[in-house]
Amino acid sequence: MKSRPDPEQELNQYIDALDAEKRPEPPSTPEMESLFRTVRTVKALKEPAEPSPDFEQRLLSSLRGEQGRRRRLWWAGAGLAAVAAVLLLVLVPGLGRRDVVAAMVQAVEQVHRYHGVLEVRMANLAGEEEVVRTQEVWVEGDRYAIQMQDGTLTINNGEQKWQVRPQDRVVAILPVAPDPLRFELDLKAMAENARRYPHKVVGRDTVAGRTADIVEISPPGGDPYRIWVDTATGLPVQLVTPMQNALQTTFTYTTLEINQPFDEDRFSFIVPEGYQVVEDDPGLVVTTPAEAAQRLGFEPVMPTAVPTRMIAYQDRLVMEFGPTTVVQRKAEGTFRPATYGALGQAAGGLLEVLENSLRWRQGDLEITVTGPEAESIARSITPDLTLPDPEADFPKQPEVSVQVDMGVLENSQRQVDAGHMPYLLDPTMVTMSYLGSLELVLPDMDALEVSYSTGVRAIVEVPTGPISRVYLQRLVRQDFTGIWTVVGYDPR
């Protein structure tokens, strides 16, 4: 009598034959035939499709027999589940490990335009909640329009930016670029912010009739916040902030239409009858550096890439490279980098490094590059650009170390996240506070100088008094939202 083959071995051989595009051996039993059908179904799945949520249950049902057979199978239920798990992991990589935030980022990248109604609600500690405003939003690439409840309409069509104010019967012309502040709950911005920090799925809920995964985002040292990601579209549809200042804010897209065409008049500059146009240096689109120089009175420095547009204002030239902008103006006075930024080198001098921008002096110009491609565009303007290394230690260790209490620091970080004690984000102000705590005669704030900063470690020079140099670190969170802490000093 021929012995029955080992089921797991037979299954492996069948999968190997399919992978090699060979004809597999026929199944030895009706149970194996049913399992082989399931394997073929799974192998037929194509990226980026994934099995439905009930796939595992259907797989188990298939393994047990499609006709509800009750007779005992030739392996135990635990072995059955193990084989099912092997199938899911081997044939559908990533199933069960799907990163909702990564999927959200991918989904947002496929959005070319959207229209929605954004509702903003506030809740207090007692749980009392009210809608504080709603706004209608239209977005297409870099173009957007926002209409508030009072009728105020702000539009940026990529060539002009203006605001229609019915209460004043005014159309105000605004600078079109840079435009750092768009609006609350921009889909792309929400996805990128969620990706920056640790995150996990904590449940499911229904938002405005849509099933959504609840993702908790945990900024280091700060209070977690939550976003709701539509399971059907992968798009963020709600954000709830931590409770801050006894208030919690909820932003919800009550409606959201994706990739539907817009009426082009939505982004057309139209002055309603009886309205006055108020204009304050809206800028002039120029096509060549020579044309810009004629308007500005100085020769701009051009990157190697060709800007998509150049706008000359009275005192500056703005070059656009998609979402990245270069601003050039005549240098005036002494170059002083922001004390809360990091320090690098560019064009033979200091480079100010902030979260999303670089600024330096080059010849008689001051240049600021802002946006996601800031580094590459800046390097094409000044090849000797050197960014600070956030992993680098102090160039020398402090002579006197200062002990810190991480519990106290984490509480301070939460206070800063809630809008309190913003001075903790500036190493010079933290230095001044520390000197005051020692009851020393305080120097002039402007006399303090940041001589070294990687964005994580900084040294502040103190011109007078018994302390000559203060060493600080971002111990709780190592980005531009993290607080600074004194970790040592050098006596004079």
Side-chain angles (χ1 to χ4, degrees), residues 187-227:
L187 296 185
K188 183 177 180 180
M190 186 157 51
E192 289 299 325
N193 288 339
R195 184 165 61 172
R196 291 177 61 191
Y197 298 129
H199 50 265
K200 62 181 179 180
V201 177
V202 296
R204 276 196 172 179
D205 195 4
T206 301
V207 176
R210 298 184 291 265
T211 301
D213 288 315
I214 306 172
V215 182
E216 186 170 88
I217 313 297
S218 301
D223 293 323
Y225 65 94
R226 292 183 173 186
I227 58 175

Side-chain angles (χ1 to χ4, degrees), residues 366-377:
E366 182 168 302
I367 302 173
T368 304
V369 187
T370 305
E373 302 299 324
E375 180 181 349
S376 61
I377 293 176

Side-chain angles (χ1 to χ4, degrees), residues 397-425:
Q397 295 302 306
E399 297 178 26
V400 179
S401 295
V402 174
Q403 298 300 313
V404 299
D405 184 328
M406 288 303 296
V408 172
L409 295 184
E410 289 171 357
N411 181 64
S412 295
Q413 180 71 66
R414 285 190 287 270
Q415 292 294 316
V416 170
D417 291 345
H420 303 296
M421 302 189 297
Y423 74 90
L424 292 177
L425 298 173

Side-chain angles (χ1 to χ4, degrees), residues 29-266:
T29 66
E31 289 83 8
M32 290 304 299
E33 181 179 6
S34 177
L35 181 58
F36 285 3
R37 281 199 302 271
T38 303
V39 170
R40 289 194 297 272
T41 299
V42 177
K43 293 288 286 185
L45 291 171
K46 302 296 184 183
E47 293 291 346
E50 293 185 352
S52 60
D54 64 343
F55 175 79
E56 186 172 356
Q57 184 61 43
R58 291 191 289 108
L59 175 60
L60 293 173
S61 298
S62 176
L63 289 171
R64 293 189 176 96
E66 297 174 345
Q67 304 303 319
R69 293 184 295 271
R70 294 182 178 274
R71 66 186 183 85
R72 182 178 179 84
L73 297 179
W74 35 258
W75 66 80
L80 181 70
V83 173
V86 169
L87 277 175
L88 291 172
L89 292 174
V90 172
L91 300 179
V92 192
L95 187 64
R97 305 190 307 273
R98 179 171 175 265
D99 188 328
V100 172
V101 169
M104 174 175 61
V105 172
Q106 293 178 359
V108 169
E109 289 175 350
Q110 305 306 313
V111 175
H112 308 297
R113 65 183 69 86
Y114 61 94
H115 165 230
V117 175
L118 182 62
E119 179 184 85
V120 183
R121 305 192 305 275
M122 301 285 288
N124 59 23
L125 288 172
E128 300 168 333
E129 187 177 62
E130 66 174 318
V131 176
V132 294
R133 65 181 177 278
T134 60
Q135 57 193 49
E136 194 168 5
V137 176
W138 296 263
V139 181
E140 184 178 51
D142 291 331
R143 306 194 301 175
Y144 64 86
I146 311 161
Q147 185 154 22
M148 307 299 290
Q149 286 173 288
D150 65 359
T152 299
L153 179 64
T154 303
I155 301 172
N156 187 335
N157 66 7
E159 304 210 354
Q160 288 178 292
K161 181 180 177 183
W162 67 98
Q163 190 171 75
V164 181
R165 304 169 184 164
Q167 62 274 29
D168 301 322
R169 301 184 69 79
V170 158
V171 176
I173 306 297
L174 307 173
V176 70
D179 188 15
L181 180 62
R182 286 163 63 90
F183 54 90
E184 300 160 318
L185 226 62
D186 176 57
L187 296 185
K188 183 177 180 180
M190 186 157 51
E192 289 299 325
N193 288 339
R195 184 165 61 172
R196 291 177 61 191
Y197 298 129
H199 50 265
K200 62 181 179 180
V201 177
V202 296
R204 276 196 172 179
D205 195 4
T206 301
V207 176
R210 298 184 291 265
T211 301
D213 288 315
I214 306 172
V215 182
E216 186 170 88
I217 313 297
S218 301
D223 293 323
Y225 65 94
R226 292 183 173 186
I227 58 175
W228 277 247
V229 182
D230 189 337
T231 57
T233 65
L235 298 175
V237 292
Q238 181 170 276
L239 182 148
V240 177
T241 69
M243 185 69 70
Q244 297 174 339
N245 302 325
L247 292 173
Q248 187 174 57
T249 307
T250 299
F251 304 91
T252 306
Y253 273 113
T254 56
T255 65
L256 189 61
E257 299 173 348
I258 302 299
N259 292 336
Q260 298 299 312
F262 292 158
D263 181 351
E264 277 302 308
D265 284 345
R266 174 67 56 192

Side-chain angles (χ1 to χ4, degrees), residues 178-484:
D179 188 15
L181 180 62
R182 286 163 63 90
F183 54 90
E184 300 160 318
L185 226 62
D186 176 57
L187 296 185
K188 183 177 180 180
M190 186 157 51
E192 289 299 325
N193 288 339
R195 184 165 61 172
R196 291 177 61 191
Y197 298 129
H199 50 265
K200 62 181 179 180
V201 177
V202 296
R204 276 196 172 179
D205 195 4
T206 301
V207 176
R210 298 184 291 265
T211 301
D213 288 315
I214 306 172
V215 182
E216 186 170 88
I217 313 297
S218 301
D223 293 323
Y225 65 94
R226 292 183 173 186
I227 58 175
W228 277 247
V229 182
D230 189 337
T231 57
T233 65
L235 298 175
V237 292
Q238 181 170 276
L239 182 148
V240 177
T241 69
M243 185 69 70
Q244 297 174 339
N245 302 325
L247 292 173
Q248 187 174 57
T249 307
T250 299
F251 304 91
T252 306
Y253 273 113
T254 56
T255 65
L256 189 61
E257 299 173 348
I258 302 299
N259 292 336
Q260 298 299 312
F262 292 158
D263 181 351
E264 277 302 308
D265 284 345
R266 174 67 56 192
F267 300 111
S268 298
F269 181 72
I270 299 173
V271 179
E273 185 177 354
Y275 279 57
Q276 178 184 3
V277 176
V278 178
E279 191 169 347
D280 182 18
D281 190 19
L284 175 69
V285 175
V286 295
T287 57
T288 66
E291 188 179 355
Q294 183 176 11
R295 176 173 172 84
L296 295 166
F298 64 80
E299 292 286 343
V301 179
M302 300 301 296
T304 55
V306 177
T308 55
R309 188 173 55 160
M310 295 190 295
I311 307 170
Y313 296 92
Q314 294 176 1
D315 63 343
R316 67 196 184 280
L317 175 66
V318 176
M319 290 180 274
E320 295 181 344
F321 300 83
T324 301
T325 59
V326 177
V327 179
Q328 299 186 18
R329 64 179 77 231
K330 290 283 288 184
E332 296 180 357
T334 302
F335 181 70
R336 291 182 64 89
T339 54
Y340 50 85
L343 297 176
Q345 294 287 319
L350 287 176
L351 169 71
E352 173 194 272
V353 182
L354 300 179
E355 182 176 18
N356 202 33
S357 73
L358 303 170
R359 183 172 68 95
W360 71 97
R361 291 280 178 89
Q362 187 162 331
D364 61 350
L365 296 181
E366 182 168 302
I367 302 173
T368 304
V369 187
T370 305
E373 302 299 324
E375 180 181 349
S376 61
I377 293 176
R379 289 189 185 281
S380 73
I381 299 173
T382 174
D384 69 341
L385 182 141
T386 303
L387 294 177
D389 179 6
E391 302 296 325
D393 205 345
F394 294 113
K396 66 179 290 289
Q397 295 302 306
E399 297 178 26
V400 179
S401 295
V402 174
Q403 298 300 313
V404 299
D405 184 328
M406 288 303 296
V408 172
L409 295 184
E410 289 171 357
N411 181 64
S412 295
Q413 180 71 66
R414 285 190 287 270
Q415 292 294 316
V416 170
D417 291 345
H420 303 296
M421 302 189 297
Y423 74 90
L424 292 177
L425 298 173
D426 187 321
T428 58
M429 298 185 73
V430 173
T431 296
M432 187 69 81
S433 176
Y434 178 73
L435 297 176
S437 71
L438 300 179
E439 299 184 352
L440 301 177
V441 176
L442 299 180
D444 189 295
M445 175 66 77
D446 292 337
L448 296 179
E449 179 184 355
V450 178
S451 60
Y452 176 83
S453 177
T454 67
V456 175
R457 293 173 176 82
I459 298 176
V460 175
E461 305 293 335
V462 183
T464 59
I467 291 178
S468 63
R469 188 174 293 111
V470 174
Y471 298 74
L472 304 99
Q473 270 187 261
R474 278 183 161 126
L475 293 172
V476 179
R477 188 185 301 159
Q478 288 74 46
D479 61 30
F480 286 93
T481 65
I483 64 172
W484 288 99

